[in-house]
């Protein structure tokens, strides 16, 4: 049985257990405080007792399911697109040109980590679109933790201190990490279901030059999926001319 089916079964058992529990108390209340006839009172008490027994049995089944059903997260597969070039300079030149055409400011550098982050931003009232680009031979654990745990927290503080972004801005962040080859950290980065936060929306992008493949992180469910779709669509429009035609 797949993990998602196990999870549905556990959720169903929790719901049934809750229904029996609430129903038993309602029937008990009716028999104790509303009905005066001994005949009907006994009838509702019997039904209440039956629901308590059903609740106990259902709770036992629920606990057994939770203890014995091993649920492993389903692997989230990123969107994979083939690109025409293996040359980073060509890819980077195209992205920079598209950002310029779309009204982004000049590319700037931040070197607060052991690797450089190049970034550009575009402001529209209280909405900031922020593109961050990293070029390394392969993704390191430090890079992965920087994204996964803090969304490049040091860079975020730097942007706040320099008034590039404000506390009350809605920030749409696209992270582009270009590597020569993939590894386990790169896979974690691109193939983990994206979690969004209020007014802080992110889209992880990975580029493997060795395989000429573009990886776009996936958000299968959860809050702020509209923000994810908006970021994904915006980024894909930048790259359409350098993507391979997969319809051939």
């Amino acid at each position: 049985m797949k993990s998602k089916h196990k999870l549905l079964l556990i959720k169903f058992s929790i719901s049934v257990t809750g229904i029996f529990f609430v129903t038993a108390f309602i029937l008990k209340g009716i028999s104790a405080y509303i009905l005066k006839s001994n005949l009907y009172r006994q009838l509702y008490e019997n039904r209440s007792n039956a629901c308590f027994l059903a609740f106990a049995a259902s709770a036992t089944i629920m606990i057994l399911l939770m203890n014995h059903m091993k649920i492993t997260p389903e692997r989230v597969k990123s969107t994979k697109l083939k690109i025409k070039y293996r040359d980073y300079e060509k890819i980077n030149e195209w992205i920079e040109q598209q950002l310029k055409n779309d009204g982004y400011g000049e590319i700037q550098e931040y070197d607060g980590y052991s690797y450089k982050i190049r970034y550009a931003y575009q402001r529209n009232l209280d909405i900031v679109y922020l593109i961050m680009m990293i070029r390394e031979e392969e993704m390191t654990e430090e890079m992965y933790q920087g994204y996964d745990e803090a969304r490049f927290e040091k860079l975020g503080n730097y942007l706040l201190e320099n008034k590039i972004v404000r506390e009350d801005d809605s920030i749409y962040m696209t992270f582009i990490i270009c590597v020569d080859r993939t590894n386990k950290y790169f896979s974690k980065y691109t193939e983990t279901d994206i979690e969004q936060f209020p007014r802080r929306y992110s889209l992880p992008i990975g580029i493997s030059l060795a395989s000429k493949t573009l990886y776009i992180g996936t958000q299968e469910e959860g809050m702020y999926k509209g923000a994810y779709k908006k970021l994904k669509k915006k980024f894909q429009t930048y790259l359409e001319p350098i993507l391979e035609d997969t319809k051939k």
Side-chain angles (χ1 to χ4, degrees):
M1 185 183 293
K2 291 184 177 181
S3 292
K4 63 180 180 180
H5 296 146
K6 293 177 183 177
L7 189 59
L8 283 174
L9 186 58
I10 290 173
K11 287 181 178 179
F12 177 75
S13 71
I14 292 172
S15 299
V16 170
T17 301
I19 290 170
F20 280 132
F21 184 75
V22 172
T23 303
F25 267 97
I26 291 173
L27 293 174
K28 194 72 174 178
I30 291 173
S31 67
Y33 300 106
I34 298 176
L35 297 175
K36 296 181 179 179
S37 168
N38 288 335
L39 178 62
Y40 286 108
R41 180 180 297 173
Q42 188 61 46
L43 177 63
Y44 276 88
E45 283 186 357
N46 291 340
R47 289 177 177 175
S48 174
N49 292 335
C51 283
F52 274 121
L53 288 173
F55 160 73
S58 181
T60 302
I61 293 171
M62 178 188 72
I63 292 169
L64 289 172
L65 287 173
M66 294 176 72
N67 287 338
H68 295 286
M69 277 195 169
K70 185 178 179 181
I71 297 176
T72 55
E74 298 285 335
R75 186 174 181 182
V76 178
K77 293 184 178 180
S78 57
T79 301
K80 296 181 179 65
L81 302 170
K82 286 293 183 180
I83 53 180
K84 295 179 180 179
Y85 308 116
R86 190 173 279 119
D87 185 343
Y88 170 73
E89 296 302 326
K90 286 185 179 180
I91 298 170
N92 180 65
E93 182 181 346
W94 179 263
I95 292 175
E96 287 190 9
Q97 185 60 50
Q98 294 306 302
L99 295 180
K100 184 177 179 180
N101 294 343
D102 199 25
Y104 282 78
E106 293 295 322
I107 303 292
Q108 302 179 59
E109 284 191 356
Y110 175 75
D111 57 2
Y113 297 91
S114 61
Y115 48 88
K116 287 184 179 179
I117 299 179
R118 300 169 65 249
Y119 69 92
Y121 70 94
Q122 174 194 66
R123 172 177 290 280
N124 182 11
L125 299 177
D126 60 348
I127 297 176
V128 176
Y129 290 96
L130 184 62
I131 299 279
M132 284 164 275
M133 296 174 282
I134 298 172
R135 169 69 176 106
E136 292 288 322
E137 288 187 5
E138 62 181 15
M139 191 167 185
T140 63
E141 183 177 6
E142 180 191 0
M143 290 164 62
Y144 175 71
Q145 290 178 344
Y147 172 78
D148 186 58
E149 295 176 3
R151 299 295 195 266
F152 296 108
E153 184 177 357
K154 285 197 291 187
L155 174 60
N157 291 334
Y158 166 83
L159 296 172
L160 284 168
E161 290 167 5
N162 288 273
K163 303 187 186 310
I164 294 171
V165 299
R166 302 175 302 223
E167 287 282 358
D168 56 349
D169 283 336
S170 291
I171 306 174
Y172 291 77
M173 302 172 281
T174 300
F175 300 90
I176 307 170
I177 297 180
C178 184
V179 296
D180 292 329
R181 54 191 173 274
T182 64
N183 59 15
K184 64 179 182 179
Y185 298 114
F186 185 88
S187 296
K188 286 182 179 180
Y189 167 70
T190 57
E191 299 189 6
T192 300
D193 203 6
I194 299 169
E195 182 181 3
Q196 308 288 10
F197 301 93
R199 296 186 292 110
R200 298 293 184 270
Y201 315 116
S202 63
L203 177 68
I205 302 290
I207 298 175
S208 169
L209 297 177
S211 61
K212 295 200 299 184
T213 304
L214 173 77
Y215 299 79
I216 303 177
T218 300
Q219 181 177 338
E220 293 189 335
E221 56 185 37
M223 296 182 66
Y224 313 115
K225 190 165 184 182
Y228 163 80
K229 290 181 177 179
K230 185 176 182 178
L231 271 172
K232 184 179 179 181
K233 183 178 180 181
K234 189 177 180 69
F235 183 77
Q236 281 190 264
T237 58
Y238 296 155
L239 294 183
E240 280 178 2
I242 66 171
L243 297 177
E244 292 282 5
D245 185 359
T246 56
K247 296 180 180 179
K248 291 180 181 179

